[in-house]
């Protein structure tokens, strides 16, 4: 369903006194809440504008359609991961500590309640709206896979690891870190892991992975 820019709905906000960047941040937060509350099909641009306290004119100027809004929600979560990933800071750590940090960041990104809600939404509605499946696969999974594969490739370049396929190895790492707890959470069999459990799992996964492909210098 295509939303019309002149829909008869007005936000409750005052005239703009903030930057477009700050306004867009409010819009993305409101969109995330709207998608979680009503799903992709039930969410409307008008409702997002009301939640954000902006006019629909401002909303359409900054994000022209619902598909772009969903992409922005995905991008905002991935930006958090990339900030935690922080390649420069990670490069100063020993390899095992660096991998643990990467996996902790990935665990928090993937196992948070809001991320679980987004995944459920994508799985339930991507048959009707293929664009949300594409946005999630490329915007979320693709960026994370690229970041992890890039780090693994650098360790191979340094002679610390030996891997034939960096992307394949990155995928295995991601699965080892989150597949079992994520599946249990999504099926309602347990609560999301807390920070302590995520850190412990990351430590175990890093040790298992590095024992499997670390170059033997003995």
């Amino acid at each position: 369903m295509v939303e019309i820019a002149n829909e008869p709905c007005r936000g409750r906000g005052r005239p703009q006194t903030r930057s477009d960047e700050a306004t867009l941040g409010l819009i993305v937060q409101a969109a995330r809440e709207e998608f979680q509350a009503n799903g992709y099909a039930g969410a409307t641009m008008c409702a997002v504008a009301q939640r954000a306290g902006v006019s629909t004119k401002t909303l359409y100027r900054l994000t022209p359609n619902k598909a772009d809004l969903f992409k922005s929600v995905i991008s905002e979560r991935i930006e958090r991961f990339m900030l935690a990933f922080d390649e420069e800071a990670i490069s100063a750590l020993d390899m095992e500590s660096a991998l643990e940090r990467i996996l902790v960041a990935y665990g928090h990104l993937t196992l948070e309640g809001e991320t679980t809600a987004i995944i459920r939404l994508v799985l339930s509605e991507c048959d009707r709206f293929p664009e949300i499946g594409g946005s999630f696969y490329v915007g979320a999974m693709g960026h994370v896979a690229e970041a992890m594969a890039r780090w693994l490739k650098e360790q191979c370049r340094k002679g610390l690891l030996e891997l034939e396929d960096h992307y394949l190895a990155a995928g295995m790492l991601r699965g080892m870190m989150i597949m079992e707890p994520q599946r249990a959470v999504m099926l309602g069999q347990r609560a999301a892991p807390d920070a302590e459990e995520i850190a412990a799992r990351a430590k175990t996964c890093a040790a298992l992975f590095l024992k499997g492909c670390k170059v033997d210098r003995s």
Side-chain angles (χ1 to χ4, degrees):
M1 178 178 177
V2 177
E3 247 116 353
I4 307 301
N6 61 355
E7 58 192 314
C9 172
R10 293 173 179 259
R12 59 178 180 270
R14 296 176 180 177
Q16 181 173 332
T17 58
R18 65 178 76 90
S19 67
D20 281 352
E21 182 180 3
T23 301
L24 185 57
L26 292 175
I27 289 171
V28 171
Q29 179 181 345
R32 183 172 63 248
E33 294 170 356
E34 179 65 16
F35 287 136
Q36 289 179 11
N38 297 306
Y40 187 80
T44 67
M45 298 289 275
C46 178
V48 171
Q50 289 179 327
R51 282 181 183 269
V54 303
S55 68
T56 52
K57 180 179 178 181
T58 296
L59 174 61
Y60 278 103
R61 180 172 62 82
L62 296 175
T63 52
N65 54 57
K66 191 161 67 173
D68 281 346
L69 268 179
F70 190 77
K71 287 180 183 178
S72 295
V73 170
I74 298 299
S75 296
E76 187 267 345
R77 299 202 69 73
I78 296 306
E79 285 173 9
R80 294 189 202 178
F81 169 76
M82 296 308 296
L83 286 172
F85 189 91
D86 190 355
E87 293 185 57
E88 184 176 348
I90 286 173
S91 67
L93 303 174
D94 64 84
M95 186 168 58
E96 187 162 355
S97 297
L99 184 54
E100 286 181 28
R101 176 166 173 162
I102 291 168
L103 293 175
V104 165
Y106 181 61
H108 283 293
L109 166 74
T110 310
L111 298 171
E112 283 181 350
E114 289 184 358
T115 304
T116 299
I118 290 172
I119 295 171
R120 284 192 176 119
L121 184 155
V122 171
L123 292 175
S124 66
E125 300 195 55
C126 65
D127 285 346
R128 295 173 59 198
F129 305 100
E131 65 270 20
I132 67 173
S135 294
F136 187 80
Y137 188 83
V138 175
M141 297 173 64
H143 283 304
V144 171
E146 175 68 31
M148 286 191 176
R150 187 168 57 246
W151 182 82
L152 291 171
K153 184 177 181 179
E154 177 62 13
Q155 307 318 299
C156 291
R157 186 192 67 77
K158 293 176 179 177
L160 299 175
L161 294 179
E162 186 175 346
L163 296 166
E164 292 183 2
D165 189 324
H166 310 110
Y167 285 92
L168 179 62
M172 290 178 175
L173 264 172
R174 298 198 312 276
M176 181 166 55
M177 179 65 201
I178 61 94
M179 181 61 73
E180 186 278 330
Q182 183 187 64
R183 188 171 292 172
V185 170
M186 293 190 69
L187 293 174
Q189 299 305 299
R190 59 158 296 170
D194 59 19
E196 183 177 354
E197 182 180 350
I198 288 173
R201 189 175 183 88
K203 187 175 185 66
T204 300
C205 289
L208 286 172
F209 179 82
L210 294 176
K211 285 177 183 178
C213 61
K214 193 172 185 179
V215 175
D216 185 1
R217 297 191 180 280
S218 61

